[in-house]
Amino acid sequence: MAFARVARRPIGAFFYSASGRFSCGNEVSSKFESLSQYRYASPVCGFGNFLRSFSSESPAVVDQMSLIKQLRQRTSAPIKDVKASLVECNWDIEAAQKDLRKRGKVLASKKSSRTAAEGMLAVAQNEGKVAVIELNCETDFVARNDIFQYLALAMAKRALLVENTSQQVSGVFPFGPELFEELKLNLDHPKVNGETTVSNAATEVAAIMGENVKFRRGFLLSKSSAGVLSAYLHTSPQPGLGRIAGIVSLEVEGENTQLEAVQRVGSELAMHVVAAKPLFLSKDLVSSEAIENEREILKSQAESTAKSQMAVEKMVEGRLRKYYEEVALMEQKFIVNDAINVKTLVDNLSKEVGSPVKVADFLRVEVGEGIERLEASDEPVAQTA
């Protein structure tokens, strides 16, 4: 009951009562004078004054949240890093953006030694060339990101301007980071824009993504004046991007050729290259080293059957023919119609268009293939004619 009566009393009176209970002499008088201003004050009004005093001294929380949101939209950096940069730069958003870029480059350099076996292939094409580049990252999550994919497509378009330093007018020209990374890119994306080098653009995207992002390799496939280049991308999230690329160059003799039919077969063959994984263009182009290695394996398998030497030789030759059908494009069964092989398909096309047609080159590239071999030998790996 006594507590209830006290609770109904004004807070100022309570303070006065408490000070009187525990003070004596002149101290009582001074306490009374200092607290008298609160004796009949409303507790609610006192708390409101306290809040107003606090908010006037602290930075506006609403403004801070707005700045964090704006900088996050500009850079896509983690919120923790965005806030840290704003605090460091006294909430100056322009200075904080520069600070984030510096932090990101330092972080990206630390992550550059990490294995990046995921990513995307990007393909760009003009009248006479097809360019393929491989941009790697550490996870499939980053490979699906809009900024990463934009950069890959921009690199592919720039790769069309790479100078072919080989003596070949047509054919496959591979190139690596040493030839490509210092070339200029003009980027026009809300998060990455302006003129920069391929290398710096990859570093900037790595800083945004928080992963190792790097250009790994590229290929240029050129055609002769009379011919068709066809490309197919497998697992393609948008035009020009995919995880596996198949490219075929068909050459045609004669100017008045039905190019529509050639383009149709070229597109089917590019899809075939992705599915059938040929290693060589024709039986004649299978390397002697590959033949000898396969012959040794087949001979060892045949000898384990305990048959005569003559039977073993026949078994080896028969299985070698099967090997050619697996690795040589022209000997492979056509995936659209396995009743014929690719050689027969091209012969039929020549009859249809009324001019000789031949497969000049092909290229098959897959994201991440040969990563371990690349780290060991520093050589790009791809299946080409």
Side-chain angles (χ1 to χ4, degrees):
M1 293 292 292
F3 178 77
R5 284 196 300 272
V6 171
R8 288 196 296 269
R9 295 167 65 187
I11 191 168
F14 174 77
F15 284 151
Y16 167 68
S17 175
S19 62
R21 185 181 301 273
F22 297 106
S23 304
C24 61
N26 294 331
E27 192 178 352
V28 174
S29 176
S30 63
K31 292 283 185 180
F32 177 76
E33 290 173 0
S34 63
L35 291 171
S36 61
Q37 57 180 317
Y38 299 109
R39 185 168 185 175
Y40 300 106
S42 167
V44 176
C45 292
F47 186 67
N49 291 332
F50 167 76
L51 282 180
R52 282 193 294 275
S53 173
F54 177 81
S55 62
S56 65
E57 293 173 3
S58 303
V61 176
V62 175
D63 291 343
Q64 291 178 11
M65 293 303 294
S66 176
L67 288 170
I68 290 171
K69 183 179 178 181
Q70 289 178 49
L71 190 54
R72 166 81 171 153
Q73 289 174 342
R74 285 191 193 183
T75 63
S76 292
I79 291 178
K80 178 183 68 174
D81 296 340
V82 167
K83 185 176 179 182
S85 288
L86 282 167
V87 170
E88 181 74 21
C89 298
N90 199 25
W91 299 93
D92 182 336
I93 192 169
E94 298 300 333
Q97 186 170 353
K98 292 179 182 178
D99 182 64
L100 271 177
R101 293 183 70 180
K102 291 177 184 176
R103 288 175 185 237
K105 287 181 179 180
V106 172
L107 185 64
S109 66
K110 290 179 180 178
K111 295 184 177 183
S112 62
S113 61
R114 290 174 12 181
T115 301
E118 290 293 333
M120 278 287 165
L121 299 174
V123 173
Q125 185 171 0
N126 59 22
E127 267 189 41
K129 295 179 189 175
V130 173
V132 186
I133 67 97
E134 181 177 354
L135 185 63
N136 291 131
C137 57
E138 296 177 45
T139 64
D140 183 60
F141 176 79
V142 168
R144 295 194 302 268
N145 184 275
D146 170 63
I147 304 171
F148 183 89
Q149 293 183 0
Y150 173 83
L151 178 61
L153 288 169
M155 286 183 177
K157 291 173 185 174
R158 181 63 183 85
L160 284 173
L161 304 177
V162 169
E163 292 185 15
N164 187 343
T165 55
S166 70
Q167 300 300 315
Q168 294 176 293
V169 177
S170 61
V172 179
F173 172 63
F175 57 91
E178 66 286 346
L179 182 64
F180 192 61
E181 284 191 328
E182 296 309 312
L183 298 182
K184 296 290 185 181
L185 288 176
N186 283 305
L187 303 176
D188 185 21
H189 187 279
K191 304 292 174 64
V192 282
N193 50 69
E195 185 175 346
T196 185
T197 63
V198 169
S199 177
N200 287 340
T203 301
E204 191 166 344
V205 172
I208 295 171
M209 298 292 103
E211 285 191 11
N212 184 15
V213 174
K214 63 179 181 180
F215 166 78
R216 181 189 173 197
R217 57 181 177 168
F219 299 90
L220 274 177
L221 188 61
S222 306
K223 71 177 182 68
S224 60
S225 56
V228 169
L229 284 170
S230 300
Y232 170 74
L233 281 161
H234 188 62
T235 318
S236 178
Q238 61 170 296
L241 293 172
R243 287 189 57 84
I244 310 174
I247 303 168
V248 172
S249 172
L250 295 177
E251 287 186 358
V252 188
E253 291 183 15
E255 296 180 358
N256 300 320
T257 306
Q258 303 174 34
L259 287 181
E260 294 83 3
V262 178
Q263 288 169 346
R264 170 178 52 80
V265 172
S267 297
E268 292 175 346
L269 278 176
M271 190 184 303
H272 172 96
V273 165
V274 167
K277 303 180 182 180
L279 299 175
F280 305 95
L281 178 58
S282 66
K283 177 181 174 180
D284 298 334
L285 294 176
V286 178
S287 67
S288 57
E289 182 183 357
I291 294 173
E292 287 306 313
N293 288 340
E294 189 66 21
R295 190 185 293 276
E296 284 183 20
I297 294 169
L298 295 176
K299 187 175 181 181
S300 175
Q301 292 173 347
E303 286 175 345
S304 65
T305 61
K307 292 186 178 180
S308 66
Q309 189 63 30
M310 185 178 294
V312 166
E313 291 297 329
K314 287 182 179 179
M315 289 173 67
V316 169
E317 293 304 317
R319 291 177 182 179
L320 267 178
R321 285 193 293 273
K322 181 69 175 175
Y323 171 71
Y324 291 137
E325 291 177 4
E326 292 174 355
V327 301
L329 175 62
M330 301 304 290
E331 305 298 323
Q332 289 180 331
K333 297 291 184 183
F334 184 39
I335 59 166
V336 177
N337 177 13
D338 61 7
I340 60 173
N341 61 15
V342 172
K343 184 178 183 303
T344 303
L345 172 73
V346 176
D347 289 342
N348 292 342
L349 176 63
S350 299
K351 293 174 184 176
E352 180 182 347
V353 301
S355 299
V357 180
K358 72 172 185 176
V359 180
D361 285 294
F362 79 91
L363 175 67
R364 185 187 187 278
V365 190
E366 186 169 351
V367 168
E369 64 183 349
I371 286 284
E372 292 180 2
R373 189 157 29 139
L374 175 67
E375 291 174 347
S377 65
D378 205 29
E379 292 287 337
V381 179
Q383 294 162 13
T384 65

